[in-house]
Amino acid sequence: MIGYYIHHHGRGHLTRAASIARKLSLDVTALTSAHSVAVEAFDDHVQLQLDYGDAHEVDPTANDALHWAPIHETGLRSRMARVARWVATARPDAVVVDVSVEIATFIRLMGVPVIVVAMPGDRTDAAHQLAYRLADHIIAAWPHEVYDPTWLHPHAHKTTYVGGISRFEDRECVSRTVDTSLSPRVVVLSGAGGSAVSNADVQAAAAQHRSFHWTGIGLPGGTWVADPWPDICSSDIVVSHAGQNAVADIAIAGKPAIVIAQERPFGEQVATAGALSMHNLAVTLKEWPALESWPDLITQAQALDREGWSKWRTTGAADRAARVIESVAIRHTAR
């Protein structure tokens, strides 16, 4: 049996975990503080308390050894106690951690094999390196040939680059019928993790550039769309943040893209955008551009080779991740 710890911020970690869980032949229990869990993807679910809330946050990094372990934080104590009880009772063969240095360390201290899901960006700090050192295996959800961070080199012997994982891999992408009389459709995507781009930005672009049809999805001030796949497939251009799931979704749809890296810890999205730019997979920006720039940016994106998205290796990525997890579990089957 597999445990799967899922970070609660945004929806990307949960979406990726569900995609992988559906490919696993072993039972999977989700452990998370997220309030919305794709229960159909997991065989069981353990709800964890949030690890923050007390007014005092004393030494949260434990002298820079960890990321978040404040002294006397009752939420942290409760969630770790719940994890310990579950491990003692369920006796998992392995636990996947996406992502938490503290959970990975805690699980491994209880003698359970740990598979750590790596994240892009600068992960050279002591806490991240601790998690990567103690991991039995590391899964990187991007293609090695496109993004090869030096901080993973010391762990190359136990790292598998599975490619970008998209929840839409098994769905058909029906593009709209080509009609030169129709305005090119620009779909602007946002995620639940926060965005510096708002629905008002899209409306301003639409007002100035009426030769394009603009649609905003999931943007602050706009409407959340649970299933953006039809909109992605019917688009001519996708404008998106540089989150791992969003990039994988665009890649598997094979759409011309303008990617705007959002500010995230450790420069996660900046690193992903840099890899996309280096390999000419997308037009990349650091911020929402000046309104007059849009026609030129869209022309640049349309000129890119859409076949280049095959480099992101989305087809079979979730299955490759599942096989890695199963191999670790089988190698260390609990007695």
Side-chain angles (χ1 to χ4, degrees):
M1 191 266 287
I2 301 295
Y4 208 127
Y5 173 81
I6 305 160
H7 186 46
H8 58 270
H9 184 69
R11 303 189 187 189
H13 300 281
L14 177 58
T15 298
R16 176 163 61 194
S19 296
I20 295 172
R22 291 186 180 98
K23 301 293 183 178
L24 284 164
S25 60
L26 302 172
D27 287 349
V28 185
T29 296
L31 300 98
T32 184
S33 299
H35 294 295
S36 176
V37 177
V39 292
E40 75 281 358
F42 305 99
D43 299 284
D44 200 0
H45 167 219
V46 175
Q47 187 70 35
L48 302 177
Q49 186 168 338
L50 290 169
D51 55 0
Y52 58 87
D54 290 348
H56 48 275
E57 295 176 359
V58 181
D59 190 19
T61 67
N63 298 308
D64 295 325
L66 301 170
H67 288 150
W68 187 253
I71 291 173
H72 300 315
E73 169 54 60
T74 56
L76 179 65
R77 289 177 178 176
S78 295
R79 80 196 320 258
M80 290 304 194
R82 183 70 183 91
V83 170
R85 290 196 300 272
W86 176 79
V87 169
T89 302
R91 301 184 67 204
D93 296 308
V95 173
V96 184
V97 179
D98 183 2
V99 290
S100 166
V101 170
E102 293 73 28
I103 291 290
T105 304
F106 191 61
I107 292 287
R108 186 62 187 85
L109 282 170
M110 287 186 284
V112 179
V114 172
I115 301 106
V116 170
V117 179
M119 295 289 286
D122 181 3
R123 310 288 172 168
T124 57
D125 60 281
H128 274 113
Q129 288 303 306
L130 170 63
Y132 297 142
R133 282 202 309 275
L134 63 80
D136 288 82
H137 207 89
I138 299 167
I139 292 174
W142 61 79
H144 193 187
E145 56 273 26
V146 175
Y147 179 50
D148 181 23
T150 56
W151 46 263
L152 266 179
H153 290 182
H155 316 291
H157 63 287
K158 60 177 182 179
T159 301
T160 301
Y161 296 81
V162 300
I165 297 172
S166 171
R167 59 175 162 156
F168 302 125
E169 179 185 352
D170 297 324
R171 292 177 61 177
E172 183 182 5
C173 190
V174 180
S175 299
R176 70 174 185 171
T177 304
V178 176
D179 185 341
T180 56
S181 67
L182 296 175
S183 300
R185 188 173 185 211
V186 182
V187 171
V188 184
L189 296 177
S190 180
S195 175
V197 179
S198 70
N199 196 55
D201 292 322
V202 177
Q203 290 176 341
Q208 181 153 331
H209 300 290
R210 298 183 183 278
S211 59
F212 302 104
H213 177 79
W214 298 77
T215 301
I217 297 177
L219 296 161
T223 303
W224 178 261
V225 176
D227 182 12
W229 186 239
D231 290 288
I232 292 172
C233 290
S234 64
S235 69
D236 297 295
I237 296 287
V238 177
V239 179
S240 173
H241 57 95
Q244 289 184 280
N245 288 320
V247 171
D249 294 344
I250 296 166
I252 206 161
K255 293 294 180 176
I258 299 169
V259 174
I260 305 173
Q262 300 295 294
E263 185 175 341
R264 292 291 186 272
F266 306 100
E268 170 195 333
Q269 292 203 10
V270 172
T272 299
L276 297 175
S277 178
M278 182 178 297
H279 291 269
N280 295 314
L281 300 183
V283 174
T284 62
L285 304 171
K286 294 181 179 179
E287 59 186 11
W288 187 259
L291 288 177
E292 62 270 17
S293 303
W294 278 110
D296 183 54
L297 291 169
I298 290 171
T299 297
Q300 291 179 44
Q302 289 177 319
L304 294 172
D305 180 10
R306 293 170 59 176
E307 296 301 318
W309 277 121
S310 63
K311 295 178 183 177
W312 207 247
R313 295 183 63 223
T314 47
T315 301
D319 188 68
R320 287 189 289 273
R323 302 292 79 77
V324 168
I325 294 165
E326 288 174 348
S327 69
V328 173
I330 291 170
R331 189 166 70 245
H332 299 288
T333 300
R335 302 301 179 189

